[in-house]
Amino acid sequence: MGMDQTFKNKAFKMVGTRPERPDGFDKVTGRARYGADFNMPGQLVGRILRSPHAHARIKSIDTSKAEALQGVKAVLTAADLPDLSDGDSGLFNTLENCMARTVARYDGHAVAAVAAVDTRTAKEALKLIKVDYEVLPHVTEIEDAIKDTAPVVRENAKAEAGLPHNIGSTIEFGHGDPETGFKNADVVIERTFKTEQSHQGYIEPHACVGNVNADGTAELWVCTQGAFGYRQDCASLLGLDVSKLRVTSSEIGGGFGGKTHVWAEPIALALSRKAGRPVKLVLSREEVFRGTGPTSATKIDVKIGVTKDGRITAGYADCYYTSGPYPSVWAELGATTAFSCYDLEHVKTIGYEVVVNRPKTAAYRAPSAPMAAFAIESVLDELAEKIGMDPLELRIKNAAKEGTQSSYGPVYGPIGFGETLAAAKNHPHLKAPLGKNQGRGIACGYWFNIGGQTCTDLNIGVDGTVTLTIGTVDVGGSRASMSLVAAEELGIPYEQVRTVVADTSSLGHNDMTEGSRGTFSSSLTTIFAARNAIEILRERAALMLGIPVDDIVWEGGEARAKGDSHGNLPALSLKEIAKAAPKTGGPIAGHSEITADGAGASFGTHICDVEVDPETGSTRVVRYTVIQDAGKAVHPDYVEGQFQGGAVQGIGWALNEEYIYGEDGRLQNPGFLDYRIPVCSDLPMIDTHIVEVPNPNHPYGVRGVGETPIVPPLAAVANAVSHAIGVRMTHIPMSPPRIVAALEAAKAG
């Protein structure tokens, strides 16, 4: 991938500065167009009918009255969608999740949809659809689902031999022999931890406009983290030709992994195909909670042993993760990341994918890692206390470093975990005194980061302005970051570059903005596209100056003739070369397409101070610090924003956020009044410290930073609360009733 030029730009001029964001003005003035801000002539309003039962057989659906209602242009059921049951099970599961076929598998599962001339008519039509349900036994709680006596969530969920029928799959990682390691330990602690299901809580609900034309071409305007992924999924699910579906991503009001999966989008397209008109479908907040993917609920059994001087001798974890009705990779990711911060001789993790009657689980920012870190980091905290060792020193002693074989297999290259621990040790936060009823917790976290398919165009206009076209959706500031990278390579001011996010007809395939890949992957293709353009700029300059191209160098945004014989020749700026382009060979552009690899592992260490009211169990975070390795921070404001955002989401999850189901299997809190995410007044200013240990697989040393910040908070907050109240908390969220119950149980002995 051209890494022979690694770190050629060590003295950065643009990268590492903090210019204004290009999309900021439109967003604060309300001009930015989100999913619901797009309209097409003649569009219809789409609405979805959802199951009121956690588990029910659909005996029949009578849509005749809805179809007869004036203003209704299409009514859709699973009968109108392809039957994918004989093909790829993943595709079948995705389509069945978008619209129940024979069984509704959770409260909120879509069972029918309508397209009508206005919202009032669409809502009226939903009331006229009659569904005959046979209610089936359901299971929503993880401990109940893994019992042999539990109701069967899905008949065809693959149960592993000898395991309960709701365990869809298992996976194992590790090396050495934990039993040997435990024999060599002076102290062994074994505990069970629980986390409840939480939602990404993005402010913008899912919204799209779908249009299928009579000739088979189609358009989708949609709030998504990846237009190309949505194109592939929607086309595959509906039997459309992929090349004929054009997907344009709107601005995105938060995704955090929840907008990497299709939910309502195939329904909008299917309604449009049936009605022959565009269909706009916007979910309500209640639909977002009931019908789109939260993260997993978990039960994690952990056993860790240490010697008196703080060396970890063995680690073991059984990781149970819910996936909704459809098995996926969530337990695998939990088992992968559980012990990945530490250098262990004996380690084993087993992941169990558990199916339940809840919405299909979706990615949520370092999916599965926060829950695993909560369990491991809590036990490490307790072990440090038992042997009388500082909890940070225990982690320093066992930290993974370059050459460590990770708990899940690969050997680490250069990583910055040790540097984050050293920065924590020297941070003033650790030395600050604590007040009454206050406690301090530290915790560490890891995410592996990914690369993937990426394609970028760079076009130089005759006025010298540069348009950079990227295919990775901007969810965290990548337009500003990519403009900085292009400016750095070309040696021009940031203001001279404009970055746009392409639709699927304008560029080659780009993977989703997920896995912390956006900045890493797109900056690679931006660098290569810019270097591609520089070669053309050199050729044009050689032509203009009448000398061989080998005598031209590109420095500081100019083509310069090198050698004594060319001493009297002028330097030519990018603007001068661009102006002459029509006469020297036409447009000047650079292009790059790669499958990016070598993303570089990401580590963080967090420090948290809390104050707990022992009478009410109410908790207040009084100070919070995030320390993380970014490799190289392209735009430090955005990097700090990612650190803070991840910490805030983790704090909310640790203290308040959870899905609460009734005995009837129905979600009781599908809205922000009863499912409470933190707002500014709930939080202190979150301090950040950027560590930069360059990733050798990137010319600038970049590592993705978006996901790691949500990994340590559950444990950091739990360790702080446990110290504040003198009781070990093992169940998240640590809501006031849970804290009071833990205190009362401790008093009762």
Side-chain angles (χ1 to χ4, degrees):
M1 280 169 42
M3 293 309 169
D4 51 312
Q5 301 186 62
T6 298
F7 310 130
K8 86 172 181 69
N9 292 304
K10 264 194 170 162
F12 294 106
K13 286 185 178 160
M14 292 290 159
V15 165
T17 62
R18 302 171 185 252
E20 285 185 7
R21 57 189 297 163
D23 51 336
F25 189 80
D26 283 352
K27 283 177 175 169
V28 298
T29 56
R31 287 184 189 172
R33 290 202 302 171
Y34 290 87
D37 293 327
F38 184 75
N39 298 290
M40 290 182 78
Q43 76 186 14
L44 302 170
V45 174
R47 280 286 183 277
I48 295 172
L49 183 69
R50 298 182 180 277
S51 167
H53 306 292
H55 199 194
R57 186 166 283 106
I58 300 168
K59 293 168 78 174
S60 66
I61 304 180
D62 182 358
T63 59
S64 57
K65 285 183 179 171
E67 285 162 348
L69 183 67
Q70 190 174 355
V72 171
K73 301 299 179 184
V75 180
L76 193 80
T77 67
D80 298 293
L81 301 171
D83 181 2
L84 303 176
S85 53
D86 291 338
D88 179 318
S89 65
L91 266 183
F92 174 76
N93 289 349
T94 302
L95 188 61
E96 190 192 72
N97 184 61
C98 289
M99 186 155 285
R101 188 161 284 276
T102 55
V103 178
R105 303 195 189 277
Y106 54 89
D107 166 45
H109 198 166
V111 294
V114 301
V117 292
D118 57 30
T119 303
R120 187 185 64 78
T121 309
K123 285 180 174 175
E124 189 60 33
L126 291 187
K127 290 177 192 166
L128 295 174
I129 298 171
K130 296 295 170 227
V131 187
D132 184 10
Y133 293 105
E134 177 197 339
V135 177
L136 301 171
H138 66 269
V139 63
T140 56
E141 302 305 316
I142 191 165
E143 291 102 322
D144 298 333
I146 59 180
K147 289 175 184 168
D148 290 328
T149 54
V152 178
V153 172
R154 268 183 79 238
E155 308 73 19
N156 53 345
K158 182 174 77 69
E160 296 273 338
L163 289 168
H165 45 234
N166 287 325
I167 290 183
S169 63
T170 65
I171 191 159
E172 189 176 307
F173 296 103
H175 54 258
D177 174 28
E179 285 313 310
T180 302
F182 290 128
K183 283 175 190 158
N184 297 331
D186 294 313
V187 180
V188 176
I189 289 179
E190 214 170 335
R191 286 221 183 275
T192 295
F193 295 85
K194 271 193 74 179
T195 68
E196 297 298 335
Q197 198 152 39
S198 68
H199 198 275
Q200 300 86 350
Y202 33 79
I203 299 305
E204 182 190 9
H206 300 257
C208 64
V209 179
N211 180 44
V212 180
N213 299 303
D215 62 358
T217 59
E219 301 98 23
L220 180 67
W221 163 278
V222 60
C223 171
T224 175
Q225 288 175 240
F228 294 88
Y230 272 41
R231 177 179 70 169
Q232 183 65 51
D233 287 350
C234 290
S236 302
L237 295 173
L238 298 177
L240 297 170
D241 193 334
V242 174
S243 63
K244 290 182 180 174
L245 174 58
R246 179 186 185 185
V247 180
T248 306
S249 57
S250 68
E251 290 296 335
I252 185 167
F256 315 110
K259 290 173 183 165
T260 60
H261 307 245
V262 293
W263 309 100
E265 298 78 14
I267 302 307
L269 285 165
L271 281 167
S272 171
R273 180 162 64 180
K274 195 168 183 182
R277 281 167 63 176
V279 173
K280 183 170 183 173
L281 189 51
V282 180
L283 299 192
S284 67
R285 180 61 58 191
E286 181 175 326
E287 286 183 291
V288 170
F289 275 110
R290 289 176 62 219
T292 71
T295 187
S296 304
T298 70
K299 179 178 100 74
I300 301 178
D301 303 320
V302 178
K303 186 177 179 183
I304 304 177
V306 294
T307 57
K308 284 204 267 302
D309 63 349
R311 183 74 192 144
I312 300 173
T313 61
Y316 181 92
D318 281 323
C319 308
Y320 296 86
Y321 281 71
T322 62
S323 58
Y326 308 103
S328 188
V329 296
W330 314 121
E332 179 180 347
L333 294 175
T336 297
T337 55
F339 286 101
S340 44
C341 288
Y342 302 105
D343 185 356
L344 305 179
E345 191 181 349
H346 303 289
V347 61
K348 186 175 184 180
T349 57
I350 305 177
Y352 300 90
E353 196 79 7
V354 183
V355 290
V356 289
N357 294 115
R358 293 189 180 212
K360 171 187 165 180
T361 296
Y364 181 13
R365 205 170 186 164
S368 305
M371 306 81 132
F374 164 53
I376 304 307
E377 297 289 315
S378 294
V379 173
L380 290 181
D381 195 68
E382 205 175 345
L383 283 165
E385 211 170 0
K386 271 260 165 61
I387 62 171
M389 191 172 191
D390 178 85
L392 189 62
E393 290 300 334
L394 178 73
R395 288 163 174 83
I396 290 168
K397 186 154 198 164
N398 295 283
K401 53 193 175 294
E402 184 174 1
T404 292
Q405 185 184 358
S406 67
S407 55
Y408 65 99
V411 173
Y412 291 130
I415 55 175
F417 184 36
E419 284 78 354
T420 71
L421 292 165
K425 190 174 179 176
N426 295 320
H427 199 282
H429 185 163
L430 265 195
K431 300 169 180 72
L434 288 166
K436 192 185 176 193
N437 295 327
Q438 292 185 355
R440 176 168 296 148
I442 65 152
C444 304
Y446 162 87
W447 188 249
F448 44 82
N449 294 349
I450 62 169
Q453 298 179 78
T454 320
C455 180
T456 298
D457 276 345
L458 185 149
N459 284 278
I460 300 173
V462 287
D463 59 353
T465 57
V466 174
T467 301
L468 186 69
T469 307
I470 62 174
T472 40
V473 172
D474 183 355
V475 301
S478 59
R479 276 176 289 216
S481 300
M482 293 313 106
S483 295
L484 281 171
V485 169
E488 186 74 56
E489 276 296 314
L490 295 168
I492 58 176
Y494 167 82
E495 293 72 24
Q496 218 170 308
V497 184
R498 179 170 178 256
T499 299
V500 295
V501 179
D503 65 55
T504 57
S505 301
S506 309
L507 268 185
H509 181 92
N510 280 263
D511 286 341
M512 288 272 175
T513 300
E514 63 180 353
S516 299
R517 65 170 295 276
T519 300
F520 169 75
S521 303
S522 277
S523 66
L524 274 176
T525 49
T526 298
I527 289 166
F528 298 150
R531 291 178 184 178
N532 187 201
I534 286 167
E535 292 311 303
I536 298 163
L537 288 162
R538 287 178 58 237
E539 287 166 13
R540 300 296 175 86
L543 203 63
M544 291 165 75
L545 295 172
I547 62 174
V549 70
D550 288 347
D551 290 356
I552 298 279
V553 291
W554 188 264
E555 287 173 356
E558 295 179 325
R560 294 176 186 155
K562 64 178 179 181
D564 296 341
S565 58
H566 305 315
N568 61 344
L569 291 174
L572 293 174
S573 71
L574 182 140
K575 282 189 175 180
E576 289 169 308
I577 301 167
K579 190 177 180 182
K583 299 191 185 82
T584 61
I588 300 172
H591 187 74
S592 173
E593 59 281 312
I594 61 171
T595 296
D597 52 23
S602 171
F603 293 85
T605 299
H606 291 201
I607 312 166
C608 172
D609 294 355
V610 300
E611 185 174 301
V612 185
D613 181 336
E615 284 183 27
T616 63
S618 171
T619 302
R620 184 170 66 92
V621 177
V622 291
R623 187 168 182 180
Y624 202 100
T625 301
V626 179
I627 302 163
Q628 190 178 314
D629 175 20
K632 174 65 190 173
V634 176
H635 192 308
D637 276 358
Y638 282 127
V639 171
E640 289 165 358
Q642 291 287 341
F643 288 6
Q644 291 164 331
V648 169
Q649 288 183 312
I651 288 166
W653 188 356
L655 295 176
N656 298 308
E657 297 179 40
E658 64 177 312
Y659 268 42
I660 298 168
Y661 280 86
E663 289 291 315
D664 57 359
R666 300 201 68 186
L667 184 61
Q668 295 185 321
N669 60 332
F672 284 143
L673 280 176
D674 299 311
Y675 178 99
R676 197 164 169 282
I677 61 172
V679 295
C680 287
S681 54
D682 295 317
L683 298 158
M685 184 62 200
I686 291 170
D687 293 328
T688 57
H689 179 91
I690 301 172
V691 168
E692 293 184 323
V693 175
N695 171 13
N697 302 310
H698 187 285
Y700 294 0
V702 168
R703 299 176 194 271
V705 300
E707 288 171 284
T708 300
I710 202 175
V711 183
L714 273 61
V717 177
N719 288 338
V721 170
S722 299
H723 291 306
I725 66 173
V727 180
R728 177 57 53 182
M729 296 299 293
T730 59
H731 191 171
I732 272 177
M734 295 170 290
S735 53
R738 283 204 184 106
I739 289 175
V740 169
L743 285 167
E744 285 173 356
K747 264 186 205 158

